[in-house]
Amino acid sequence: MKRLRMTFVCAAALALIVALFARCAGAEGHAAPVTATEAMYRDAVTTFLECMKDFGYQVSGPAVSPLDQRMLLRDVVVPSDGRPDEYNRRLAGCDRKAKLGTVEPAYLGSHQPSLHPRLRDDAVACLHRQGVTAHGAEVTYGDYVSQATVTQDFGQCLVGAMQAAFPELPPRVTVFY
């Protein structure tokens, strides 16, 4: 069974990343689309992964995140060969080629997040283990994690449920909420 590692990033960081992507795209003359369809988004992610694979990097995904039912999760294995500059150049080049930095924020910004129903009971149980009773009106991962007394423990609590219910997930997942 794959070990799923989760990195937790606050909502402000996601907003900053989206803003930076949009700003960088504008600086290069690629205006961010006002909206992006699911097909446009999937095509951008697939193009990005194929580009990285063409350079010889191991990739996995895309898989729809059960944490928000909209983000396409993917992973590119970072090489341990001591050439991070080359990797970063290729990563940036593939991002530009796929227009991922403009399409992804447009798609995510126009589609509301929602925790997958198969994880909601687990989220409630994770809160309960921390002595917290869920409010009952939670919809998003952020709704649950904001009630947790220890957010990292809450996130790790969902790992087992995600592995069992969603085996197609990449081995490493970054969580934005």
Side-chain angles (χ1 to χ4, degrees):
M1 181 179 275
K2 292 188 269 184
R3 179 175 177 94
L4 184 64
R5 296 184 313 160
M6 300 180 74
T7 305
F8 297 92
V9 181
C10 69
L14 177 59
L16 178 63
I17 289 168
V18 170
L20 287 174
F21 276 140
R23 185 176 195 179
C24 289
E28 295 177 16
H30 297 106
V34 176
T35 61
T37 66
E38 183 177 348
M40 290 169 63
Y41 179 41
R42 184 167 289 279
D43 183 57
V45 171
T46 301
T47 300
F48 168 78
L49 290 173
E50 287 172 358
C51 179
M52 290 303 289
K53 192 173 185 179
D54 288 346
F55 281 117
Y57 295 102
Q58 182 182 355
V59 302
S60 58
V64 176
S65 172
L67 297 177
D68 68 5
Q69 298 188 82
R70 63 188 181 138
M71 180 175 259
L72 291 175
L73 302 175
R74 65 269 183 188
D75 185 36
V76 177
V77 177
V78 179
S80 58
D81 61 6
R83 297 181 305 189
D85 291 339
E86 179 181 297
Y87 171 77
N88 288 332
R89 277 192 310 277
R90 289 178 173 172
L91 194 70
C94 289
D95 184 84
R96 278 190 303 277
K97 177 182 179 181
K99 298 182 178 131
L100 188 57
T102 56
V103 173
E104 185 168 58
Y107 178 77
L108 296 177
S110 63
H111 293 78
Q112 294 299 313
S114 176
L115 184 69
H116 195 286
R118 289 168 54 189
L119 292 178
R120 290 185 181 162
D121 288 342
D122 295 298
V124 169
C126 292
L127 287 175
H128 184 72
R129 285 188 201 109
Q130 292 188 4
V132 177
T133 302
H135 299 141
E138 296 83 5
V139 175
T140 68
Y141 175 83
D143 294 340
Y144 289 98
V145 76
S146 66
Q147 298 173 62
T149 55
V150 181
T151 57
Q152 192 165 13
D153 290 348
F154 173 83
Q156 292 301 318
C157 182
L158 289 179
V159 170
M162 288 174 59
Q163 286 177 318
F166 304 97
E168 71 279 7
L169 292 178
R172 295 179 300 168
V173 175
T174 300
V175 179
F176 300 96
Y177 62 92

